[in-house]
Amino acid sequence: MEGFMDRLANGLGKVATRINNWRYIMVIKNAFAALIPVIITGAFGTLFSAMVFDSENGLAKIDALSFLENLKPISSAVSYVTLSFLTIYAVFLIGIELAKLNKIDGVFPGVIAVMSYLSVNPMVFEFLHEDATVIAENVLAKQYTDTKGLFLGMFVAILSIELYAWLCRQKRLQIKMPESVPANVSASFSALFPTILTVTSIATVGFAIKAITGMYVYDIIYNIVQKPLEGIVQGLPGILLLMFIAQVFWVIGIHGNQMVKPIREPLLLAAIAVNTEAFEAGKEVPNIITMPFWDMYMSMGGSGVTIGLLIAVLIAGKREDMRQITKLSLAPGIFNINEPVIFGMPIMLNPILAIPFVLTPIITGTVGYIATSIGFAAKAVVMVPWPMPPIVNAYLATAGDIGAVVTQIICILLSIIIYLPFVIVMNRSTNEVA
C-alpha cells in the first residue's frame, strides 16, 4: 500500500509541478492574487451600503441616524469603480506579469494589454428607450469591463504581450537614440513600432472575426467558453469535483488550492462580483456558488474543514502527539490556516485521516448548497477575506443573514461527527502498534 501511495504521489507531483510552472498559469494566479484587495474593497462598499447607509435594512433606518442614507453614493461609487472594471484591472495586471517573464520591466506592457483588449470590443452600444432603438457611439458597455469579459481579457492580454515581447526582440524594429537622450525617452522610442504593430494586429484580428462570423470576439468567447464553464461550476457536481481534486492533491502533499486556483478564481470571483453588483442595485442575487461559498461551507478552519478534526481530537483523541498538534493548530485554525494540521498530524499520505479530509468538504458543501437553494441561507454578496474566522465570515458574506450562520454551524457540527470515528480509529491503531 505504501509503495502504491508513493508512486501515486510521485506521479501526481510531477503533473502538479508542470502545471504550476506553466507560465500562463503562474501569470493568471499572480494577477488574481493582486486583484483580491480590489474585490474585497468593492465588497465592503456593498456591505456598508446595505448595513449602514440603507434606510430599510441598515443603520440609516434609525431616526437618529437617518442622515447616513445621504452618504450611500460613497459606497456605491466604491463598488462601481472596483467590481465594474474588474476585467480591465485583470488585463492590466496579466500584461505586467507576463512581461516580467519575458524580461520586460515596467507597467507599459499592462497598457499594451488594455489597449489590445479594448480594440476588439465594440465602441457602439444599442439599447431600447421608450420602444425606440437608441445608438450610443464612442462608449464601452459595462459587460466588456466587468466580470463577463474576464476570459476574453485574459486571452487577449496573453496574446498581445507575447506578440509585443517577440516584436521587442526584433532589432530591426528598435529605434536607436543618441546616448545623450534620457534612458526613459529612449525606451519609449524603442517600444514605438512593437506597440503600433501589436495593437494594430490585435484590432485587425478582431475586425476580421466580426466580418467573417458576424459576432464580436467577446460574444464567441463568452458563449462558447466562459458561460459553459460558469454553468458547470455553478452546479453542485462541478464545484464538488473541483473540491475533490483539490483535496486529493493535498493528501499527497501538494497545495490543492493552488492547483485548482487558475480555474476556481476567475469563475468564483466573477460570481461574487456579479452577486455584489446585483445586491447593490437591489436586484435578485443570481449565484449560489461563489468564492465566499467555498470559504463558508467547504473550507472552515482550512481545507478539509479541519476545524472539525481539531474539535474531534479534543473530544476523543488519546494520542498525545495528536493532542499537542491540535493545541498548536487551534489558533491558526480559527483563521482558516491549517498547514500545521495537514503536515503535522499528519493528514498527508495518511490513509485513515485522508478519507474524512476528502469527504467532509464535499458533504458540508452539499449541505450549504441545499440550504441556500431552498432559501434557508442567503446567497453570499460580499467578498470576505479568507482568513476571516467561521461564523463571522458567514454573517459578513451574506450581509447579516442568520440562516447562513446557522447553516455554517450545522456544517461544523457535521464535520466533527464525520472526523470523530476516524480519530478513534487513530487511537486504536496507535495502541495496537504500541
Side-chain angles (χ1 to χ4, degrees):
M1 182 65 180
E2 288 183 4
F4 170 76
M5 289 298 293
D6 288 339
R7 289 195 300 273
L8 178 63
N10 290 334
L12 289 178
K14 291 178 181 177
V15 173
T17 301
R18 289 180 181 176
I19 293 174
N20 264 330
N21 289 337
W22 193 33
R23 57 196 283 119
Y24 304 130
I25 296 295
M26 293 169 58
V27 162
I28 291 171
K29 286 197 298 186
N30 291 342
F32 275 92
L35 278 175
I36 293 295
V38 176
I39 297 169
I40 293 176
T41 298
F44 271 94
T46 298
L47 186 66
F48 273 86
S49 180
M51 302 184 72
V52 178
F53 302 137
D54 191 81
S55 59
E56 294 183 6
N57 302 308
L59 293 177
K61 70 179 180 181
I62 302 172
D63 291 339
L65 300 175
S66 59
F67 70 92
L68 290 173
E69 185 179 9
N70 298 323
L71 303 178
K72 193 170 185 177
I74 298 174
S75 59
S76 299
V78 171
S79 296
Y80 180 73
V81 300
T82 50
L83 303 178
S84 296
F85 292 90
L86 199 63
T87 291
I88 301 299
Y89 304 144
V91 169
F92 182 76
L93 291 171
I94 289 171
I96 293 174
E97 291 293 332
L98 185 55
K100 289 178 183 176
L101 295 183
N102 284 295
K103 296 181 172 54
I104 301 175
D105 297 325
V107 298
F108 185 66
V111 177
I112 295 284
V114 172
M115 288 193 296
S116 299
Y117 173 68
L118 295 178
S119 73
V120 301
N121 288 311
M123 292 165 285
V124 176
F125 182 64
E126 296 184 6
F127 61 96
L128 288 175
H129 179 68
E130 296 180 354
D131 297 327
T133 300
V134 178
I135 299 177
E137 296 182 346
N138 299 318
V139 297
L140 190 65
K142 186 180 178 183
Q143 68 200 58
Y144 306 119
T145 62
D146 65 12
T147 55
K148 295 185 183 68
L150 270 176
F151 272 75
L152 174 60
M154 290 189 292
F155 177 75
V156 172
I158 289 171
L159 180 63
S160 62
I161 297 306
E162 290 288 27
L163 176 59
Y164 175 74
W166 180 80
L167 290 170
C168 285
R169 291 192 293 269
Q170 308 308 306
K171 294 184 178 180
R172 293 172 298 176
L173 299 176
Q174 295 177 3
I175 300 176
K176 298 295 184 181
M177 303 295 290
E179 293 184 1
S180 58
V181 176
N184 59 335
V185 176
S186 180
S188 297
F189 273 93
S190 295
L192 180 59
F193 284 124
T195 300
I196 293 172
L197 292 174
T198 298
V199 178
T200 302
S201 299
I202 300 295
T204 302
V205 171
F207 173 82
I209 291 174
K210 176 64 167 65
I212 294 169
T213 66
M215 294 188 294
Y216 287 100
V217 184
Y218 165 85
D219 299 314
I220 297 173
I221 296 295
Y222 182 73
N223 291 316
I224 295 178
V225 180
Q226 184 168 343
K227 197 171 182 180
L229 281 174
E230 287 176 348
I232 291 171
V233 174
Q234 278 303 312
L236 183 60
I239 196 67
L240 294 184
L241 176 62
L242 203 61
M243 174 58 76
F244 176 79
I245 293 170
Q247 296 307 98
V248 169
F249 274 112
W250 272 118
V251 167
I252 63 171
I254 298 168
H255 199 300
N257 286 344
Q258 291 297 325
M259 294 307 303
V260 301
K261 195 173 184 179
I263 299 173
R264 183 190 70 180
E265 302 289 85
L267 297 173
L268 298 191
L269 289 177
I272 186 60
V274 169
N275 280 11
T276 301
E277 286 188 296
F279 182 75
E280 176 73 19
K283 299 177 182 178
E284 182 181 354
V285 177
N287 299 314
I288 292 178
I289 296 173
T290 59
M291 199 65 243
F293 178 93
W294 180 288
D295 295 333
M296 286 192 311
Y297 301 126
M298 306 174 79
S299 195
M300 297 88 78
S303 297
V305 196
T306 49
I307 191 171
L309 173 59
L310 297 179
I311 297 173
V313 171
L314 292 177
I315 293 173
K318 295 181 180 179
R319 287 178 50 169
E320 188 59 29
D321 58 338
M322 289 180 66
R323 293 186 69 85
Q324 287 297 325
I325 290 293
T326 296
K327 292 175 183 177
L328 293 172
S329 302
L330 275 175
I334 292 172
F335 297 96
N336 306 314
I337 299 168
N338 69 340
E339 278 81 356
V341 182
I342 293 174
F343 300 109
M345 194 71 74
I347 294 172
M348 180 188 69
L349 299 179
N350 184 332
I352 297 175
L353 291 180
I355 296 171
F357 181 77
V358 172
L359 290 180
T360 301
I362 292 174
I363 294 170
T364 57
T366 302
V367 170
Y369 185 89
I370 293 173
T372 308
S373 62
I374 64 175
F376 178 77
K379 298 171 184 175
V381 294
V382 176
M383 178 63 196
V384 179
W386 66 265
M388 191 69 70
I391 311 303
V392 178
N393 68 355
Y395 184 78
L396 292 178
T398 55
D401 182 68
I402 299 301
V405 173
V406 172
T407 301
Q408 192 180 57
I409 293 172
I410 292 172
C411 288
I412 292 173
L413 292 174
L414 272 175
S415 71
I416 298 170
I417 294 169
I418 295 169
Y419 273 111
L420 266 172
F422 294 91
V423 170
I424 294 170
V425 170
M426 289 290 290
N427 292 337
R428 292 174 179 174
S429 65
T430 302
N431 292 335
E432 289 172 6
V433 172

